[in-house]
Amino acid sequence: MRKTLMILTLLVFVLPLSAYSVNTIKNSLHHDSNTSCITIKENQRKWRRQTAKANIIHSEGNGREKVPVGISLDDLKNYNQAVIEGTIYNLEKMRSPQSMAYTKASVHIDKVISGDKSLKNKIVYLALDGGLVSFDDWYSESKHKAYGHNMLVKNDEFSLPIIGSKIITGLIPNNLDEPIELNNDLKRSGFTSKNSFTINTPQYNFWVKGPNAKEYRLNNPTLRKKNINGDYLVESLQQLTKEINRKFNDEKPKEHQ
């Protein structure tokens, strides 16, 4: 009888505690989600303020080594350490080599499609083509100086994703040991080999789903406007985009703006 009473007494205390623990976890997750939305909205406002008065110039992008373009999911998996789905949490002006423009993007990795599963839920840095740069750094050889005047460099083959956008792309390790100007600027901007990655072919293998968009699209405005007309690359990337939406576009648009 005493054992029965003890067991009943324990159940009285354990059950409320268990229910409390579950509710605490749910509230914690809900709070984290709300905090993320608030952070994203604040970062959106900051970026809009910084870019509002900047003169816009168009560029063909920063020079890159020729590397294979992924035209299938298998290619993406084979060419990269990881293929991820993530959220752009922030965009920041960063140091860039003369006559070049990069933006520091903070990306929360929501899902690892293939590769290193330990990356899930981590925030990593990417240096994306285009963004804010001072007049003097862009026109380094110009005799005219405009100290403190920012310009917004837009790459015709790679649009800077909006803060709050979802992205799908491949990641490869960022080798910062080579003594080149870009690596020095990356280090000064807080990039390390542990907290950052690079993208092989961002103009061809980077997909974006805006905060209010219904599907992913290739982040290359020039290529999206092209007709297939026997162009194997364009046709392959269009088919890959359809496959990406079919397999990974399972979320409804989120109101971040």
Side-chain angles (χ1 to χ4, degrees):
M1 183 66 180
R2 288 182 179 178
K3 287 184 179 179
T4 304
L5 287 172
M6 287 178 66
I7 292 172
L8 288 172
T9 304
L10 284 171
L11 284 173
V12 169
F13 283 99
V14 169
L15 287 174
L17 284 172
S18 299
Y20 174 79
S21 299
V22 171
N23 289 331
T24 302
I25 291 170
K26 287 182 178 178
N27 291 336
S28 175
L29 290 172
H30 182 65
H31 175 73
D32 288 343
S33 177
N34 286 341
T35 302
S36 297
C37 288
I38 292 170
T39 301
I40 285 173
K41 287 181 178 179
E42 179 59 29
N43 290 338
Q44 287 173 341
R45 284 192 288 267
K46 287 180 181 178
W47 184 251
R48 280 196 292 264
R49 284 198 299 268
Q50 292 172 11
T51 58
K53 296 182 179 180
N55 293 334
I56 296 175
I57 60 173
H58 291 270
S59 167
E60 294 181 354
N62 304 314
R64 292 178 178 273
E65 295 180 5
K66 291 185 177 181
V67 293
V69 175
I71 57 175
S72 69
L73 280 177
D74 284 339
D75 284 347
L76 291 179
K77 294 173 183 178
N78 291 331
Y79 297 161
N80 297 281
Q81 177 178 312
V83 178
I84 61 98
E85 182 177 36
T87 301
I88 302 287
Y89 263 34
N90 200 14
L91 297 176
E92 299 172 85
K93 179 182 177 182
M94 58 173 280
R95 294 180 63 98
S96 302
Q98 290 185 341
S99 301
M100 300 177 76
Y102 288 98
T103 295
K104 181 180 180 179
S106 300
V107 178
H108 180 273
I109 298 180
D110 306 320
K111 179 180 180 180
V112 178
I113 295 171
S114 72
D116 187 357
K117 300 298 183 182
S118 68
L119 292 174
K120 185 177 179 180
N121 291 327
K122 290 185 178 179
I123 291 182
V124 299
Y125 298 139
L126 302 176
L128 302 181
D129 286 4
L132 287 171
V133 64
S134 71
F135 178 94
D136 305 307
D137 287 339
W138 186 256
Y139 295 110
S140 57
E141 297 179 359
S142 173
K143 294 180 181 179
H144 302 286
K145 298 296 179 183
Y147 297 107
H149 181 71
N150 281 331
M151 299 188 307
L152 181 60
V153 179
K154 291 191 172 182
N155 183 344
D156 293 335
E157 292 192 339
F158 185 90
S159 301
L160 274 179
I162 298 170
I163 296 172
S165 297
K166 290 277 193 178
I167 66 168
I168 288 179
T169 192
L171 304 179
I172 60 173
N174 216 353
N175 181 9
L176 301 179
D177 294 331
E178 191 177 352
I180 59 175
E181 187 179 1
L182 176 58
N183 282 347
N184 292 334
D185 287 335
L186 290 173
K187 291 175 183 177
R188 291 171 184 171
S189 299
F191 287 67
T192 70
S193 58
K194 293 183 178 180
N195 69 9
S196 69
F197 289 86
T198 189
I199 306 167
N200 265 336
T201 50
Q203 68 271 42
Y204 300 120
N205 290 157
F206 194 99
W207 289 265
V208 174
K209 179 183 174 184
N212 299 311
K214 294 182 179 180
E215 61 182 12
Y216 282 99
R217 64 179 187 171
L218 186 67
N219 194 44
N220 185 326
T222 302
L223 207 62
R224 287 202 308 267
K225 294 175 184 177
K226 284 187 177 182
N227 293 321
I228 294 177
N229 291 333
D231 190 319
Y232 180 72
L233 177 61
V234 175
E235 182 178 6
S236 299
L237 290 174
Q238 285 185 4
Q239 292 302 318
L240 179 54
T241 301
K242 290 179 182 178
E243 185 177 2
I244 282 172
N245 276 300
R246 189 167 61 251
K247 291 187 175 181
F248 308 114
N249 186 23
D250 55 356
E251 295 182 6
K252 295 180 180 180
K254 294 182 179 180
E255 296 287 342
H256 283 313
Q257 290 183 314

